[in-house]
Amino acid sequence: MKISLPNARLSFPTLFSHGSFNGESTGKFEATFILDAKDNADAIKAINLEIARLIKDELKGAKLGDDRVCLKDGNDSDRDENKGKFTIKSSTKKRPMLIDRDKSPICEADNVLYAGCYVNAIVTLWAQNNGYGKRINAQLDGIQ
């Protein structure tokens, strides 16, 4: 299910080239979105409903720890600046659609997508159930 994240704050974006970990390419384009608990209440509700559905239908009711779900509650953090916020980490192996306000394509040289800017995003939640474990992940579909 595709979920719209309006007016989300962009964090840790690797949108124009693959991300890296310990100097090695992850093979993925990635972004984390910071959602305000009040302003993004509808999106957070939709995400939680989809997580519950995926756990029930795809993972047969498996109990997942907070570290196994892409949506994180900032109130569970020790950092005050995270209170009242949620984060959702997303990634994709193919370059996501990146468009400007007028829906024209964005390239890196445009310098309009950067950590801290506010964007509208689309993510798709999916259940992972393989040799690497059971999780609920978010696929990054596009950013405006």
Side-chain angles (χ1 to χ4, degrees), residues 30-33 70-72 87-91 123 137-139:
E30 303 168 314
T32 298
F33 301 99
C70 57
L71 184 69
K72 308 290 185 214
T87 60
I88 184 166
K89 184 175 181 179
S90 60
S91 65
V123 297
N137 297 313
Q139 175 181 300

Side-chain angles (χ1 to χ4, degrees), residues 1 3 5 28-33 47 51 54 68-71 87-93 122-128 135-141:
M1 170 182 196
I3 297 176
L5 308 176
K28 296 179 185 178
F29 299 93
E30 303 168 314
T32 298
F33 301 99
I47 293 166
I51 288 169
L54 288 168
R68 298 287 181 179
V69 179
C70 57
L71 184 69
T87 60
I88 184 166
K89 184 175 181 179
S90 60
S91 65
T92 183
K93 288 187 178 185
I122 302 288
V123 297
T124 302
L125 299 185
W126 60 281
Q128 171 184 317
R135 304 178 60 91
I136 302 295
N137 297 313
Q139 175 181 300
L140 176 58
D141 295 324

Side-chain angles (χ1 to χ4, degrees), residues 30-41:
E30 303 168 314
T32 298
F33 301 99
I34 302 170
L35 307 171
D36 183 87
K38 292 178 187 167
D39 296 341
N40 298 102

Side-chain angles (χ1 to χ4, degrees), residues 7 16 21-22 31 41 51 53 75-76 78 81 110 124 132 142:
N7 202 33
F16 299 101
F21 183 74
N22 289 336
I51 288 169
R53 186 194 71 75
N75 290 332
D76 296 338
D78 293 336
E81 64 267 20
D110 293 334
T124 302
Y132 296 104

